[in-house]
Amino acid sequence: RLYAGEKLPDNTDDIDFLVVMGGPQSPATTIAECPYFDANKEIALIKDAISKQKLILGVCLGAQLIGESYGAKYEHSPNREVGVFPIYLTEAGKKDRIFSRFPESFPVGHWHGDMPGIPDGAELLAYSEGCPRQVVRYDDNVYGFQCHFEFTPEAIEGMIKNCPGDIAEAGQLPYIQDAETLRDHDYALFNQFLFQFLDYLEM
């Protein structure tokens, strides 16, 4: 909880599985703009985990930071996405050791305007109509999700309350849903996909 004054660990020696979550920042956000977010330190920690072949999952900003750790710069998505929209597996996704067990298309959550970079050797596994980079496999044990499998009704209520500007253009932009629509989705469905992914990742 960096926002509460906790510190990042110096290394990942005592970490089995590194999960790097999202936030309103981008990898380009400076300490002056957000005093508790140091992108360079987070990237250094991810690089340490990569070098030690830890299990790593990045979500949203976390996926972008993983891409940066491999030397691939994040980019702005062609569209901002806020809501629940389907993602579609690429041919590589259909052959992936984990996602080959999933439907070729299924709904997930979105709340972003950027997307991760893809370095040489990484594979794009899924995309959406609004964003061409949704799931990236950086290595056999390293995945990045631009989308959100982890959303819950409680989390969505918090996002609606604390990020009202993000949904202000609902009805004007094609991939932004309003608060009522956001509340109506069945988040348990893609939570189950997340649990399956995590089980398969550790196999």
Side-chain angles (χ1 to χ4, degrees):
R1 299 181 302 164
L2 301 178
Y3 62 88
E6 295 180 2
K7 304 297 182 184
L8 284 174
D10 294 326
N11 56 61
T12 57
D13 289 351
D14 295 327
I15 294 173
D16 296 314
F17 187 167
L18 182 66
V19 180
V20 189
M21 293 303 296
Q25 307 88 351
S26 82
T29 300
T30 66
I31 295 175
E33 293 170 319
C34 184
Y36 62 81
F37 174 69
D38 187 330
N40 290 331
K41 282 189 176 180
E42 294 206 21
I43 290 169
L45 189 70
I46 295 167
K47 286 182 175 179
D48 185 72
I50 292 169
S51 72
K52 294 169 182 171
Q53 299 184 318
K54 305 286 187 176
L55 292 174
I56 307 171
L57 172 63
V59 177
C60 201
L61 172 61
Q64 297 160 27
L65 291 171
I66 290 175
E68 299 271 331
S69 300
Y70 281 95
K73 296 295 183 183
Y74 86 101
E75 297 180 52
H76 298 309
S77 173
N79 298 279
R80 288 196 297 120
E81 291 180 302
V82 178
V84 174
F85 304 101
I87 59 172
Y88 304 89
L89 297 184
T90 63
E91 289 305 311
K94 295 172 188 176
K95 298 174 184 176
D96 180 71
R97 71 179 182 91
I98 297 177
F99 280 94
S100 61
R101 309 164 189 258
F102 285 53
E104 292 186 11
S105 175
F106 54 92
V108 291
H110 306 269
W111 204 296
H112 71 97
D114 295 324
M115 60 185 182
I118 303 181
D120 290 343
E123 291 276 8
L124 176 67
L125 303 184
Y127 63 94
S128 67
E129 291 181 357
C131 177
R133 302 175 190 168
Q134 289 288 357
V135 177
V136 180
R137 185 184 67 233
Y138 290 96
D139 210 329
D140 287 343
N141 57 319
V142 184
Y143 284 75
F145 295 170
Q146 183 56 58
C147 50
H148 295 269
F149 290 66
E150 84 286 357
F151 277 170
T152 62
E154 294 77 16
I156 288 298
E157 282 299 330
M159 298 288 275
I160 292 169
K161 176 182 177 181
N162 293 296
C163 308
D166 290 351
I167 57 175
E169 294 178 283
Q172 302 172 47
L173 295 178
Y175 302 107
I176 298 182
Q177 296 176 339
D178 60 27
E180 181 178 356
T181 303
L182 287 166
R183 292 185 175 108
D184 282 345
H185 292 300
D186 179 9
Y187 295 97
L189 172 63
F190 38 95
N191 293 163
Q192 289 301 315
F193 285 129
L194 176 61
F195 299 148
Q196 291 175 37
F197 171 83
L198 295 172
D199 285 343
Y200 293 135
L201 184 61
E202 290 195 295
M203 289 174 62

